[in-house]
Amino acid sequence: MKSLQKIKNDIFVFPFDQETDFPNVGYIRGKERAMLVDAGCGPKTTAQIHRQLAENDLPLPEMIAVTHYHWDHSFGCAYMDAVSVGSEYTNGKLTELKEMSIAVVDDIISDDLMPEFCREHILMEFPDVSKIEIKTLDRVISEPEEMDLGEKTVILTPVISSHSEGSLLVHVKEDRVLFIGDADCGYIVGTEFVDDFAKLEEFAKVIESIDCDYIVEGHADVYTKKEFMRQLESRFAEVAK
């Protein structure tokens, strides 16, 4: 895992790693408690998160905001002592996975659960997939909700996304930082990402309306808002050709 990076003030990110599919995992430190944005992949990455927090004299998170159910963002919840919160859809998918008898990786590989794209990375984290532990969410939200971490207001907002239903935005209001998970990505069919441009347009309108300076996507470097909106515009321009 790459070293913890500071975005601004007490907002940090554990950077994404393409080799393992580890996503950007956000860390927000308030005066009273800390929150993670997504939980990472499982026990190996959780141990590294905990180690780096200790090395930087940062407290363990008391809460985890789960942006969507995909394994690389949610499976780490089972290995952390923190209250997890996300959408009803995310919780439903985690419940479905938890109730499955997982003996081999093929048991969970399908376009509507864990697409083929995830296979090799799951096996990196879980060589024996029968050892996977899955935790359902502790809290479910269906409407925007504010959380006070102590001089840091975090706004959790459900958002339309091509990538996964039940996606969640995490906006640190005072610091003007927005975590979006993979909500800007297309849906996955096998190993291909496919945009639903109607949903992407609705998503873009929501992002445009949020007062932020920085946007943290799931598997990319941190953008300024202008850079991110320009990137979205280029995708729309491509399809218009």
Side-chain angles (χ1 to χ4, degrees), residues 5 39 67 97 115 138 152 158 218 222 227:
Q5 294 181 1
T67 62
L97 285 160
D138 297 301
K152 287 209 187 299
V222 177
E227 290 170 340

PDB file of all heavy atoms in Angstrom, residues 5 39 67 97 115 138 152 158 218 222 227:
ATOM      1  N   GLN A   5      -1.556  10.140   2.173  1.00  0.00           N
ATOM      2  CA  GLN A   5      -1.300  11.466   1.630  1.00  0.00           C
ATOM      3  C   GLN A   5      -2.319  12.465   2.181  1.00  0.00           C
ATOM      4  O   GLN A   5      -3.497  12.152   2.317  1.00  0.00           O
ATOM      5  CB  GLN A   5      -1.386  11.449   0.101  1.00  0.00           C
ATOM      6  CG  GLN A   5      -0.307  10.627  -0.566  1.00  0.00           C
ATOM      7  CD  GLN A   5      -0.402  10.651  -2.081  1.00  0.00           C
ATOM      8  OE1 GLN A   5      -1.262  11.304  -2.653  1.00  0.00           O
ATOM      9  NE2 GLN A   5       0.486   9.922  -2.730  1.00  0.00           N
ATOM     10  N   ALA A  39     -13.753   1.165   2.921  1.00  0.00           N
ATOM     11  CA  ALA A  39     -13.020   0.351   3.893  1.00  0.00           C
ATOM     12  C   ALA A  39     -11.904  -0.475   3.279  1.00  0.00           C
ATOM     13  O   ALA A  39     -11.208  -1.190   3.994  1.00  0.00           O
ATOM     14  CB  ALA A  39     -14.012  -0.585   4.617  1.00  0.00           C
ATOM     15  N   THR A  67     -19.200   3.925  -0.093  1.00  0.00           N
ATOM     16  CA  THR A  67     -19.754   4.589  -1.277  1.00  0.00           C
ATOM     17  C   THR A  67     -20.566   3.651  -2.155  1.00  0.00           C
ATOM     18  O   THR A  67     -21.488   4.093  -2.834  1.00  0.00           O
ATOM     19  CB  THR A  67     -18.639   5.231  -2.129  1.00  0.00           C
ATOM     20  OG1 THR A  67     -17.746   4.207  -2.599  1.00  0.00           O
ATOM     21  CG2 THR A  67     -17.869   6.263  -1.325  1.00  0.00           C
ATOM     22  N   LEU A  97     -24.415 -11.284  -0.493  1.00  0.00           N
ATOM     23  CA  LEU A  97     -23.096 -11.914  -0.469  1.00  0.00           C
ATOM     24  C   LEU A  97     -22.857 -12.654   0.844  1.00  0.00           C
ATOM     25  O   LEU A  97     -22.311 -13.768   0.860  1.00  0.00           O
ATOM     26  CB  LEU A  97     -22.015 -10.854  -0.664  1.00  0.00           C
ATOM     27  CG  LEU A  97     -21.851 -10.327  -2.091  1.00  0.00           C
ATOM     28  CD1 LEU A  97     -21.147  -8.979  -2.088  1.00  0.00           C
ATOM     29  CD2 LEU A  97     -21.097 -11.331  -2.944  1.00  0.00           C
ATOM     30  N   PRO A 115     -18.062  -8.542 -11.052  1.00  0.00           N
ATOM     31  CA  PRO A 115     -17.752  -8.861 -12.442  1.00  0.00           C
ATOM     32  C   PRO A 115     -16.384  -9.507 -12.612  1.00  0.00           C
ATOM     33  O   PRO A 115     -15.538  -9.486 -11.716  1.00  0.00           O
ATOM     34  CB  PRO A 115     -17.816  -7.499 -13.144  1.00  0.00           C
ATOM     35  CG  PRO A 115     -17.619  -6.511 -12.064  1.00  0.00           C
ATOM     36  CD  PRO A 115     -18.188  -7.093 -10.824  1.00  0.00           C
ATOM     37  N   ASP A 138     -24.163  -1.115   9.354  1.00  0.00           N
ATOM     38  CA  ASP A 138     -24.768  -0.839  10.660  1.00  0.00           C
ATOM     39  C   ASP A 138     -25.893   0.178  10.549  1.00  0.00           C
ATOM     40  O   ASP A 138     -26.843   0.153  11.336  1.00  0.00           O
ATOM     41  CB  ASP A 138     -23.700  -0.310  11.629  1.00  0.00           C
ATOM     42  CG  ASP A 138     -22.614  -1.331  11.899  1.00  0.00           C
ATOM     43  OD1 ASP A 138     -22.939  -2.425  12.388  1.00  0.00           O
ATOM     44  OD2 ASP A 138     -21.443  -1.036  11.596  1.00  0.00           O
ATOM     45  N   LYS A 152     -16.045  19.446  11.813  1.00  0.00           N
ATOM     46  CA  LYS A 152     -16.068  18.978  10.430  1.00  0.00           C
ATOM     47  C   LYS A 152     -17.447  18.384  10.159  1.00  0.00           C
ATOM     48  O   LYS A 152     -17.852  17.411  10.807  1.00  0.00           O
ATOM     49  CB  LYS A 152     -14.993  17.928  10.168  1.00  0.00           C
ATOM     50  CG  LYS A 152     -13.593  18.503  10.127  1.00  0.00           C
ATOM     51  CD  LYS A 152     -12.678  17.709   9.231  1.00  0.00           C
ATOM     52  CE  LYS A 152     -11.237  18.210   9.350  1.00  0.00           C
ATOM     53  NZ  LYS A 152     -11.088  19.608   8.946  1.00  0.00           N
ATOM     54  N   PRO A 158     -26.958  10.236  -1.324  1.00  0.00           N
ATOM     55  CA  PRO A 158     -27.153   9.215  -2.371  1.00  0.00           C
ATOM     56  C   PRO A 158     -27.161   9.875  -3.739  1.00  0.00           C
ATOM     57  O   PRO A 158     -27.653  11.001  -3.892  1.00  0.00           O
ATOM     58  CB  PRO A 158     -28.525   8.622  -2.025  1.00  0.00           C
ATOM     59  CG  PRO A 158     -28.748   8.952  -0.578  1.00  0.00           C
ATOM     60  CD  PRO A 158     -28.072  10.280  -0.377  1.00  0.00           C
ATOM     61  N   GLY A 218     -12.547   7.103  -7.070  1.00  0.00           N
ATOM     62  CA  GLY A 218     -12.115   5.850  -6.460  1.00  0.00           C
ATOM     63  C   GLY A 218     -10.761   5.341  -6.907  1.00  0.00           C
ATOM     64  O   GLY A 218     -10.021   4.746  -6.114  1.00  0.00           O
ATOM     65  N   VAL A 222      -6.233  12.748  -7.195  1.00  0.00           N
ATOM     66  CA  VAL A 222      -7.182  13.764  -6.730  1.00  0.00           C
ATOM     67  C   VAL A 222      -7.291  14.868  -7.781  1.00  0.00           C
ATOM     68  O   VAL A 222      -6.288  15.372  -8.292  1.00  0.00           O
ATOM     69  CB  VAL A 222      -6.727  14.351  -5.387  1.00  0.00           C
ATOM     70  CG1 VAL A 222      -7.675  15.462  -4.939  1.00  0.00           C
ATOM     71  CG2 VAL A 222      -6.646  13.250  -4.322  1.00  0.00           C
ATOM     72  N   GLU A 227     -10.880  20.426 -13.039  1.00  0.00           N
ATOM     73  CA  GLU A 227     -10.286  19.312 -13.784  1.00  0.00           C
ATOM     74  C   GLU A 227     -11.283  18.176 -13.955  1.00  0.00           C
ATOM     75  O   GLU A 227     -11.387  17.580 -15.037  1.00  0.00           O
ATOM     76  CB  GLU A 227      -9.047  18.785 -13.062  1.00  0.00           C
ATOM     77  CG  GLU A 227      -7.865  19.720 -13.085  1.00  0.00           C
ATOM     78  CD  GLU A 227      -6.757  19.275 -12.155  1.00  0.00           C
ATOM     79  OE1 GLU A 227      -7.028  18.469 -11.227  1.00  0.00           O
ATOM     80  OE2 GLU A 227      -5.610  19.731 -12.348  1.00  0.00           O
TER      81      GLU A 227
END
